[in-house]
Amino acid sequence: MDLAGIIAVQIGYTVASLALISAGLAVIFGMMRVINLAHGEFLMLGAYAVVVSTKAGINFWVSMLVIAPLFVGIVGVIVERFIVRFLYGRMMDTLIATWGLSLLFIGVITTIFGNATESVVSPLGSFEIGEFVESQYRLFIIFLGVLVIAVIFVVLRYSRAGLIARGTMQNADMAAALGISPQHVYTITFGVGAALTGLAGAALAPVTGLLPTMGAAFIAKAFITVIGGGEAIVTGTSSASAFFGTVNQVTTFLWTPVMGDVALLIAAVILLRLLPQGITGRFFRRWL
Amino acid sequence: MALNVNLNAEGLTVGRLSPTLTGPIAAVVIIALVIGILPLVVSDIFILLQLTLFMAYGILAMSLGWVWGYGGIFSFGQAAFYGLGGYTYAVVSINMGGSTTALFAGVAVPAAFALFLGYFMFYGRISTVYVAVITLVVSLIFYKFLGHTAGYEYTIGTAHLGGFNGMPALPPINTPGNPMSIIWPEDMFVITGICLLLVYVGLRFAMHSSFGRAVAAMRENELRAELLGYDTRLYKMAVFGIGGAVAGLAGVLYANWNSYVSPTVFDLGFSAQIIIWVVVGGLGTLVGPLIGAMALGFVTIELGTQQTVDVNLILGVILVVFVLAVPEGVTAQARALYARLMDRVQARA
């Protein structure tokens, strides 16, 4: 019973962290169809923002929930303005340019901080289920994952801004004819996606080792989650996170963490062969 | 794309060699001369070794130039086939002692794997972007899995895979039938160069065969090619398989050069470098990627000797600038310049 409880927490944690690292990409890639290979580096920048601001004496929660998303959001807006903007509709060029960008970010951070592992201390204690001990921070990640997905859903579905964003993505010319500047919408959407990614990086900072190259560990997972999810970004990302997260954690439990990652990647390849349009290409079709 | 211009212009030009042939012939002659003369002139063994590595990189770059620039399949996974070639060579040569079988296995296994993967992707009719992601994921799987093989249960025959420590002390290429006669670095340089030439000529030849023309048609308009009766799935799979074989050959040559392979050959950064070579050199050409690989290989090594600026930073800037400012790569720019010059010369004459 206790074991079941602890496994449930771990699966929930894996699913939630997958959803977190994919949420920003779901906005940028899922909505805007921009392949952002610097996604992993946006996560990395969010994590380093937390390192810098906590070292400067700012409260951990403030730096994680406010400073990191804000900083990475601004970086995102700059990137959109100066690079991505010129490449809309040129998918492969975007892919290569953002890959270059990711190398650039890695280079900059390595130059500033060196190639050493930084760390942030987890601010929460632990709790017990029977004889097992689990960190409370994992519960917080689960909570945050659910919250982020819920907020994206509410904003897209019920707010005016969400309506404008969805409308522009569907038909930019029509949106422009109705007096909305698609360029602004693109910039803001990209910025929001980047900010969400920064938040995810910041939230995961206490549980991962921070290296300039840490982004590479996340990027493939984030992409396959969003692609595995398919067209509907909220339902897709959450269902794909649930599926891949469970596969990963169960295999990790039965075998080793590395084989868990391998199982996740293999599951993704098979899923895409069976459902080339992703999960929401077949199921939950009219969902958001 | 520059290539189309060439295909269209074939047979139309009068008075000088068709541009489709001048370029390749010149390339072959130049490469052959360089390979033939350099070992006689350069006495510094270090430079020859360096060039051998760059030529292996050049072969790898051509494999992506073929798959992506010519077949229109964007593959993040050339590093996977390259690494697979290296590892296969390592395992077989350690088990067999001699290198001849290992060499062929190192080409055949990646080719077979590419065909297998290609079957999954192209018969599933996965879109271009997802092909990119799947090939990326496959490289990652290899990276993770081989990094995980440090335990002694991961031993094939007498070859221990060794996890992140890699497989050291690989037997070098030796003369077929006589494993005792050792091949020296100078000979290795020539062998790698001959492989490079063969790959270049072979791919060139494939491009101008009827198979190659069908592939070009498919790249330009897949639906139209299909309506004309070509099974594009099969063609894509074949293109991908050939690309896998060439990348595997590059991997074999690399493993030989280094006499060591480790999971870093599957590293994402390395996959990125291959793409950078092709983008900088020029998409849609074969010489372009070759030049890109050699020039950037040189730059990377030179940059590695200084400590002030991070190598990644500079590579990143190069990539972004090239995509924004020179999307066709240096070869197309050079060609355009050459064409303009020729026009001016003809106008004056």
Side-chain angles (χ1 to χ4, degrees), chain A residues 251-277:
Chain A
T251 319
T252 300
F253 183 71
L254 295 174
W255 210 344
T256 62
V258 175
M259 291 320 280
D261 281 348
V262 172
L264 189 162
L265 298 173
I266 291 175
V269 173
I270 296 172
L271 181 92
L272 272 184
R273 173 68 181 87
L274 299 176
L275 305 172
Q277 304 294 318

Side-chain angles (χ1 to χ4, degrees), chain A residues 35 91 99-100 104 107 220 261 273, chain B residues 120 129 140 144 272 310 316-317:
Chain A
I35 298 201
M91 218 169 205
W99 183 278
L104 179 71
D261 281 348
R273 173 68 181 87
Chain B
F120 257 81
V129 178
L140 265 180
K144 292 220 149 138
D310 191 78
V317 172

Side-chain angles (χ1 to χ4, degrees), chain B residues 145-190:
Chain B
F145 178 74
L146 283 165
H148 185 58
T149 55
Y152 274 93
E153 67 271 29
Y154 295 101
T155 302
I156 303 173
T158 50
H160 175 224
L161 294 180
F164 276 112
N165 290 331
M167 306 177 69
L170 305 179
I173 284 190
N174 43 37
T175 323
N178 182 12
M180 283 299 110
S181 89
I182 301 166
I183 288 180
W184 299 101
E186 290 90 338
D187 306 324
M188 199 54 222
F189 174 83
V190 175

Side-chain angles (χ1 to χ4, degrees), chain A residues 93-228:
Chain A
D93 288 343
T94 322
L95 190 147
I96 299 153
T98 49
W99 183 278
L101 201 64
S102 91
L103 292 178
L104 179 71
F105 282 144
I106 294 175
V108 170
I109 296 293
T110 312
T111 312
I112 300 174
F113 294 90
N115 213 343
T117 313
E118 301 271 345
S119 64
V120 180
V121 183
S122 164
L124 294 173
S126 56
F127 68 101
E128 292 172 15
I129 306 177
E131 53 187 317
F132 299 102
V133 182
E134 189 54 274
S135 97
Q136 287 176 6
Y137 196 77
R138 293 202 164 188
L139 288 184
F140 169 74
I141 294 280
I142 298 177
F143 166 73
L144 189 68
V146 174
L147 185 74
V148 163
I149 294 288
V151 168
I152 296 178
F153 176 74
V154 169
V155 168
L156 281 181
R157 178 74 182 78
Y158 295 108
S159 78
R160 187 177 155 73
L163 185 69
I164 290 176
R166 280 189 291 145
T168 310
M169 300 313 155
Q170 262 185 20
N171 191 333
D173 289 340
M174 186 57 78
L178 291 172
I180 289 157
S181 159
Q183 295 227 318
H184 271 121
V185 179
Y186 285 140
T187 309
I188 293 167
T189 314
F190 197 91
V192 169
L196 282 171
T197 312
L199 173 67
L204 292 174
V207 289
T208 46
L210 305 189
L211 270 172
T213 51
M214 66 184 271
F218 297 108
I219 181 129
K221 285 187 190 174
F223 263 101
I224 58 181
T225 306
V226 175
I227 290 176

Side-chain angles (χ1 to χ4, degrees), chain B residues 87-219:
Chain B
Y87 264 96
T88 311
Y89 174 80
V91 169
V92 178
S93 66
I94 287 177
N95 276 311
M96 312 256 311
S99 68
T100 316
T101 330
L103 202 139
F104 286 108
V107 176
V109 170
F113 180 69
L115 288 175
F116 171 75
L117 191 66
Y119 169 76
F120 257 81
M121 295 192 303
F122 304 125
Y123 280 76
R125 294 206 177 271
I126 289 171
S127 72
T128 329
V129 178
Y130 293 176
V131 168
V133 175
I134 286 192
T135 47
L136 178 92
V137 166
V138 166
S139 316
L140 265 180
I141 294 179
F142 275 115
Y143 181 68
K144 292 220 149 138
F145 178 74
L146 283 165
H148 185 58
T149 55
Y152 274 93
E153 67 271 29
Y154 295 101
T155 302
I156 303 173
T158 50
H160 175 224
L161 294 180
F164 276 112
N165 290 331
M167 306 177 69
L170 305 179
I173 284 190
N174 43 37
T175 323
N178 182 12
M180 283 299 110
S181 89
I182 301 166
I183 288 180
W184 299 101
E186 290 90 338
D187 306 324
M188 199 54 222
F189 174 83
V190 175
I191 291 174
T192 312
I194 291 172
C195 287
L196 183 106
L197 262 185
L198 285 179
V199 166
Y200 178 79
V201 172
L203 289 180
R204 247 309 129 198
F205 185 72
M207 281 180 177
H208 288 277
S209 64
S210 56
F211 166 77
R213 288 176 194 278
V215 170
M218 175 189 80
R219 179 197 61 219

Side-chain angles (χ1 to χ4, degrees), chain B residues 5-335:
Chain B
V5 180
N6 267 353
L7 285 177
N8 295 339
E10 190 180 26
L12 292 180
T13 34
V14 189
R16 58 192 159 107
L17 265 175
S18 146
T20 31
L21 280 179
T22 17
I25 290 175
V28 168
V29 170
I30 292 171
I31 299 172
L33 278 179
V34 169
I35 296 163
I37 293 173
L38 263 184
L40 304 176
V41 182
V42 180
S43 53
D44 190 349
I45 202 77
F46 176 76
I47 296 177
L48 274 190
L49 276 174
Q50 226 33 283
L51 284 172
T52 312
L53 175 66
F54 294 161
M55 286 197 295
Y57 282 172
I59 296 177
L60 180 60
M62 280 199 287
S63 86
L64 185 65
W66 159 257
V67 168
W68 180 24
Y70 200 69
I73 305 162
F74 182 78
S75 161
F76 246 112
Q78 289 315 104
F81 305 126
Y82 174 79
L84 197 59
Y87 264 96
T88 311
Y89 174 80
V91 169
V92 178
S93 66
I94 287 177
N95 276 311
M96 312 256 311
S99 68
T100 316
T101 330
L103 202 139
F104 286 108
V107 176
V109 170
F113 180 69
L115 288 175
F116 171 75
L117 191 66
Y119 169 76
F120 257 81
M121 295 192 303
F122 304 125
Y123 280 76
R125 294 206 177 271
I126 289 171
S127 72
T128 329
V129 178
Y130 293 176
V131 168
V133 175
I134 286 192
T135 47
L136 178 92
V137 166
V138 166
S139 316
L140 265 180
I141 294 179
F142 275 115
Y143 181 68
K144 292 220 149 138
F145 178 74
L146 283 165
H148 185 58
T149 55
Y152 274 93
E153 67 271 29
Y154 295 101
T155 302
I156 303 173
T158 50
H160 175 224
L161 294 180
F164 276 112
N165 290 331
M167 306 177 69
L170 305 179
I173 284 190
N174 43 37
T175 323
N178 182 12
M180 283 299 110
S181 89
I182 301 166
I183 288 180
W184 299 101
E186 290 90 338
D187 306 324
M188 199 54 222
F189 174 83
V190 175
I191 291 174
T192 312
I194 291 172
C195 287
L196 183 106
L197 262 185
L198 285 179
V199 166
Y200 178 79
V201 172
L203 289 180
R204 247 309 129 198
F205 185 72
M207 281 180 177
H208 288 277
S209 64
S210 56
F211 166 77
R213 288 176 194 278
V215 170
M218 175 189 80
R219 179 197 61 219
E220 291 305 315
N221 192 332
E222 195 173 341
L223 182 64
R224 192 178 293 167
E226 240 169 38
L227 292 174
L228 287 170
Y230 295 104
D231 186 350
T232 56
R233 300 173 300 180
L234 187 67
Y235 277 90
K236 278 191 178 175
M237 206 172 101
V239 169
F240 202 64
I242 295 173
V246 173
L249 175 66
V252 170
L253 292 169
Y254 166 78
N256 238 294
W257 174 82
N258 214 1
S259 77
Y260 169 75
V261 276
S262 74
T264 48
V265 288
F266 298 111
D267 189 40
L268 281 190
F270 189 62
S271 307
Q273 274 197 26
I274 309 170
I275 294 164
I276 299 176
W277 297 337
V278 175
V279 168
V280 170
L283 192 58
T285 63
L286 277 184
V287 177
L290 188 61
I291 297 171
M294 296 207 162
L296 284 177
F298 180 72
V299 169
T300 315
I301 291 205
E302 283 298 302
L303 285 176
T305 58
Q306 52 88 35
Q307 293 298 319
T308 34
V309 194
D310 191 78
V311 182
N312 275 324
L313 201 155
I314 295 173
L315 284 182
V317 172
I318 291 178
L319 197 49
V320 174
V321 166
F322 264 88
V323 171
L324 286 177
V326 204
E328 280 107 27
V330 285
T331 319
Q333 294 288 326
R335 261 191 202 160

